[in-house]
Amino acid sequence: MTAVAKAAKKATKKTSKKKTTASKKKTTSTKASSAKPAAKPKSKVPGGTSVAARKRRLASLLERLDKSFGEVQTPELEDVMEHAIYLILREGASHSTAIKALASLRDDFVDWNEVRASTPSELGRMMLGTNRASSLRKMYPRAERIKEMIDQVYNDRNDTDLDFLTELKMKEQIEFLEDLDDLGIHNAYAMVQWMSGDTSKLVAISSEVANVAKMVGLTESAAVTKAKKELGDLCPPERYVALQAHLGQLGDLDEDDWTPSMKEFLA
């Protein structure tokens, strides 16, 4: 083989080797680019926010709503009607004021039928123990709601007693209480929670509660079943009734009607 032929053969081998190397690199590059990126680990809690942080957020929100809507506690009361009346009376007032007004109704009237037969002005004066116009103006709407609520119960059942609710299933309790216009759906669910006496779980919640819980960053979903489970884990059992009343009332408001302190919680 001549020197020229040898040189040509050597050049051919070198070119072939370069093509093979380039082909291998291209294949490797293609495989690397087609590989799927590693999946990010799923957050263990909704929204990636820690459970502890959401608990603090809920506690702070309930404290704000105590001041805005009226503190909610669960005192020992004599009958179911008193539960409904207390929840109305505490709106826009302190717990102690509501208890004092409720005691006046209990002590100064023979029964709830006599309360029903009175005017809102009379009820207001009795509950406040004063004729001061400014105080009466604030009490009048609540006195009117109490009278109208008892009147609606009487017209429906020919009785002013609500103790029959304790014999009903929870769904039936909700249906009856939701129909009491002057009680309010937020108080209806609070009553059901209160009457259940169950501190181990949050019972049925309203769609308003589920929706607002998601809006303020407490839950990932606005689905009632999922929100109920998540809120039950976040809220101390002794605050279940307050949660039902407060979040229900907040969820029933248009966002434009939220106070600045409430809007701070929007997620």
Side-chain angles (χ1 to χ4, degrees):
M1 184 181 291
T2 65
V4 173
K6 287 182 179 180
K9 185 176 181 181
K10 187 174 181 181
T12 301
K13 285 183 177 181
K14 190 174 182 180
T15 302
S16 176
K17 186 176 181 181
K18 284 183 177 178
K19 286 183 178 179
T20 302
T21 302
S23 176
K24 285 183 179 180
K25 285 183 178 179
K26 187 175 182 181
T27 301
T28 303
S29 176
T30 302
K31 286 183 178 180
S33 63
S34 63
K36 293 182 178 180
K40 293 181 180 180
K42 290 185 177 180
S43 173
K44 295 183 180 179
V45 294
T49 306
S50 72
V51 172
R54 288 185 296 138
K55 283 183 176 181
R56 290 193 297 271
R57 187 175 184 82
L58 175 58
S60 180
L61 176 60
L62 290 180
E63 186 178 349
R64 297 274 185 95
L65 296 181
D66 272 339
K67 296 176 181 178
S68 297
F69 295 149
E71 184 184 3
V72 178
Q73 294 190 24
T74 53
E76 291 291 333
L77 301 176
E78 294 183 5
D79 58 48
V80 177
M81 180 61 81
E82 288 191 3
H83 289 65
I85 293 174
Y86 167 82
L87 288 170
I88 292 175
L89 285 173
R90 60 87 202 172
E91 290 189 28
S94 66
H95 168 71
S96 59
T97 298
I99 288 296
K100 182 179 178 181
L102 180 58
S104 178
L105 291 181
R106 186 192 306 121
D107 298 339
D108 297 334
F109 293 89
V110 174
D111 53 24
W112 298 125
N113 193 52
E114 188 176 4
V115 172
R116 180 182 73 87
S118 303
T119 67
S121 297
E122 291 171 337
L123 295 177
R125 284 194 296 271
M126 296 296 288
M127 288 188 288
L128 290 170
T130 180
N131 288 318
R132 191 167 57 192
S134 59
S135 298
L136 288 173
R137 279 196 298 271
K138 292 180 181 179
M139 177 61 80
Y140 186 91
R142 280 170 283 162
E144 186 176 38
R145 284 174 62 190
I146 291 168
K147 172 184 165 54
E148 294 298 327
M149 179 186 66
I150 298 174
D151 202 39
Q152 187 177 348
V153 172
Y154 181 82
N155 291 335
D156 184 69
R157 296 183 51 81
N158 198 33
D159 194 354
T160 58
D161 194 306
L162 285 178
D163 286 353
F164 75 94
L165 288 172
T166 60
E167 305 298 326
L168 301 181
K169 294 181 179 179
M170 184 173 62
K171 183 179 179 181
E172 295 171 320
Q173 292 176 341
I174 292 172
E175 288 175 352
F176 182 87
L177 292 171
E178 281 186 326
D179 285 339
L180 298 180
D181 300 326
D182 292 282
L183 177 64
I185 293 177
H186 58 292
N187 285 332
Y189 279 83
M191 273 193 70
V192 170
Q193 182 73 51
W194 196 353
M195 286 190 297
S196 74
D198 194 343
T199 57
S200 65
K201 65 179 180 181
L202 193 66
V203 301
I205 64 172
S206 67
S207 58
E208 288 83 0
V209 169
N211 287 331
V212 83
K214 185 176 186 301
M215 288 174 64
V216 297
L218 294 173
T219 61
E220 184 177 47
S221 171
V224 170
T225 302
K226 291 182 179 179
K228 179 168 71 72
K229 173 64 170 61
E230 291 177 35
L231 288 172
D233 293 338
L234 294 177
C235 186
E238 65 271 15
R239 294 289 275 163
Y240 281 165
V241 176
L243 180 143
Q244 294 270 27
H246 285 337
L247 294 195
Q249 189 169 0
L250 183 60
D252 199 40
L253 292 176
D254 289 332
E255 192 176 316
D256 291 340
D257 294 327
W258 288 25
T259 65
S261 66
M262 295 173 186
K263 289 182 179 179
E264 289 177 11
F265 287 88
L266 286 170

